[in-house]
Amino acid sequence: MEIVKLTIDNKPVVVEKGTTILEAAKTIGVNIPSLCYMKLEDMDFENKPGGCRVCVVEVEGRRNLAPACKSEVTEGMVVNTHSVRVVNARRTVMELILSDHPAECLTCAKSGKCDLQTLAQDLGIREIRYEGEQSHYKGDESPAIIREMDKCIMCRRCETACNEVQTVGVLSGINRGFESVVATAFEMDLDHSACTYCGQCVAVCPTGALTERDSTNKVLDALMDPSKTVVVQTAPAVRAALGEEFGMEPGTLVTGKMASSLRKLGFDYVFDTDFAADLTIMEEGTELLGRLNKFLKGDKDVKLPILTSCCPAWVNFFEHNFPEMKEIPSTAKSPQQMFGAIAKTYFADQLKKKREDLVVVSVMPCLAKKYEVSRDEFKVNGDPDVNISISTRELGQMIRNANIDFAALTDEDFDRPLGESTGASVIFGTTGGVIEAAVRTAYEIQTGQELEKVDFHELRGMEGIREATIDFAGLPIRIGIAHGLGNARKLLEDIKAGKSEFHAIEIMACPGGCIGGGGQPYHHGNVEILKKRQQAIYAEDAGKTLRKSHDNPYIKKLYEEFLGEPCGHKSHDLLHTYYFDKKKKIEI
Amino acid sequence: MANIKLPANKVQELKDVCEKFNHDKGELINVLHAAQGIFGYLPAEVQELVADQLNVSIAHVYGVVSFYSFFTMIPKGEHPISICMGTACYVRGAEKVLDEFKRLLNVKVGETTPDGMFSVSCLRCVGACGLAPVVTVGEKVYGRVSPEDVKGILAEYK
């Protein structure tokens, strides 16, 4: 390793060759402000177009100021990060950016969480000395994502997320000069593109240009309607992040406070998507074993590896990009949709209510879930199984609106029957979790033996693609895991080429899994936050008495009273789905 | 956006071009250049075909097409009119000539008349600065054009 010695703000610094000034400064506690720059460690996400020029510093002997995010250190370099020249230049740059930005902070959805706003405050901008034309671009409203491009500062983070990390490729810089903007091909709306609604563009946008479609008013309307019974379900990853909306440390588990706050908001039944995650394992695990055992008996037509199907952005991704492989993913619906299907049949029957009188609300770390609830195959006579999906951030907003002192809430439990869950379901919220949960159940069903230890550390971690072989009492089961759609694409290309040797693959669209979902509190580029959420998820699992989905007593009861057996006739009707070929065809 | 059907022979011609460039992503601009030569313009369908052939996203192709003024998504008229806006022509009143074309044809720069006869675009210098201001219609060059001449030039093609 070659090292470089330099001086930053009069302090000596020693770093590896190839380090940028920005990173070198960080090692001695000097945080050079930046805007377009963003790096997510371990996630293959680095955006440094060097376009905003906010991070400029003075380098002795160099005529022009240097962008710290793009300039590599050199031996003996002398850097000043806050000379008068630097500070003036930085403020000028910022004022120029702001001169073409709508001053709508008071009503902007991103206010208080906006990197641009924070930076303007940090730099102490009190007036904008430049007046000029304001750019106006075409807006775009999809079922999940709102694009208000007048607020775009051309940092290109969304492009990096969409094109390089996710390899979805629906965004690009278009036009030139003052007309430049990030847009889809031909400036079509997102819902006419191959957008998966993963929401990673929203997760990294520094301004209010990209936000989620707000459905909180729809939820309030349902809660105020006396003719409706309103049922809520909360996804596993929400409990590991909701606290951040109220200033709590990342990684604080707020399961009990969340249940309590939902009851205070007026939901008639506070249930848990985790229950449906246990149900998913029963169905998906049985499907896996079904395919596996056929394969072991020499059936050549069986589709292996089986791919998980919990993640709606991932489903959109293969429908758009790999439709020829749409028979490979599990047919099991996602936990959100399984919950809706059971709530509007089994639970509605228990209440002696018609399905139309039930409103199912989901709280999700995800924006693609908003799209998923609108899919036609998840409706019965026009009535959706899940009526409204809101994000973790939107729930935070609802709690604040209702004057609830979240931190002071006492812990409460979920209601029964659809609120009971095992540790296996909680870990659905992180990369590796779904397949670990599946292994816990599939192992016991396949071998007839009880698992001695339920923790499969070989399946855990943050690496983009992981693989492990689990010994099913002499039968080696090869498992692949990918998070981030770019990583998923690699595994899919292998399958397509006939090179894949896995029996089962778990795929989650967002880096880190649902804990890093597009609907979670903004991480502002700090990957440590995702790691803490992941730890919280595993802690919740470890603290549970029941840690295997098939041990959930209410799941057993559901099969006894209603469904029959996993992958049976009724399960197929209610809990399984089918996929579409959405690849754009060129007519000739 | 209205869907158009691309003629099979031209599609094959474009595919051959892509083949010649080994479907190399780095040759996108060259491929687009050739595509515009084949089709006369770059409608969405052609861009989709190029994206598919070079294995790049359609958004990326559109980003490049919308960046370079040479590329157009609007079919050129039967008689493409170009007004030189280079310095010499500009100072000798090219803008007034352009305005007259726009007024008489009722189109903006980059547009084509509804009957498909004329399209109006600007260019930078045809190397005939001594004749400024210069207008070209198809391959024919007109020099020392005044706004009063515009009507007569158009009449030649009607």
Side-chain angles (χ1 to χ4, degrees), chain A residues 269 271 275 346-347 350 415-421 552 554-555 557:
Chain A
Y269 294 92
F271 289 144
F275 172 85
Y346 175 70
F347 185 64
Q350 286 188 359
D415 292 316
R416 299 290 181 271
L418 310 183
E420 178 71 82
S421 69
N552 184 331
Y554 288 88
I555 291 285
K557 208 166 152 218

Side-chain angles (χ1 to χ4, degrees), chain A residues 163 168-177 183-188 583-588, chain B residues 1 5-6 8 11 15 44-45 47-49 52 57-60 62-63 66-69 73:
Chain A
N163 301 339
V168 170
V170 303
L171 296 178
S172 174
I174 65 156
N175 299 336
R176 65 193 300 171
T184 57
F186 320 121
E187 293 193 79
M188 305 279 265
K583 194 165 195 161
K584 199 152 187 223
K585 305 286 183 298
I586 300 168
E587 276 189 52
I588 291 166
Chain B
M1 205 168 293
K5 228 175 148 189
L6 302 176
V11 168
K15 282 184 175 172
E45 289 75 7
Q47 296 183 44
E48 282 161 8
L49 184 64
D52 185 59
S57 75
I58 302 166
H60 178 63
Y62 178 65
S66 63
F67 183 85
Y68 291 104
S69 57
M73 286 182 66

Side-chain angles (χ1 to χ4, degrees), chain A residues 196-212:
Chain A
T196 66
Y197 304 115
C198 72
Q200 285 303 306
C201 55
V202 176
V204 298
C205 178
T207 73
L210 300 172
T211 52
E212 70 268 44

Side-chain angles (χ1 to χ4, degrees), chain B residues 14-55:
Chain B
L14 178 55
K15 282 184 175 172
D16 291 343
V17 169
C18 296
E19 187 65 42
K20 198 185 88 196
F21 284 114
N22 289 323
H23 302 272
D24 180 356
K25 294 177 176 48
E27 299 288 355
L28 175 60
I29 290 175
N30 284 329
V31 170
L32 287 172
H33 201 136
Q36 188 157 298
I38 296 167
F39 292 91
Y41 68 121
L42 296 171
E45 289 75 7
V46 169
Q47 296 183 44
E48 282 161 8
L49 184 64
V50 169
D52 185 59
Q53 288 288 308
L54 302 188
N55 198 21

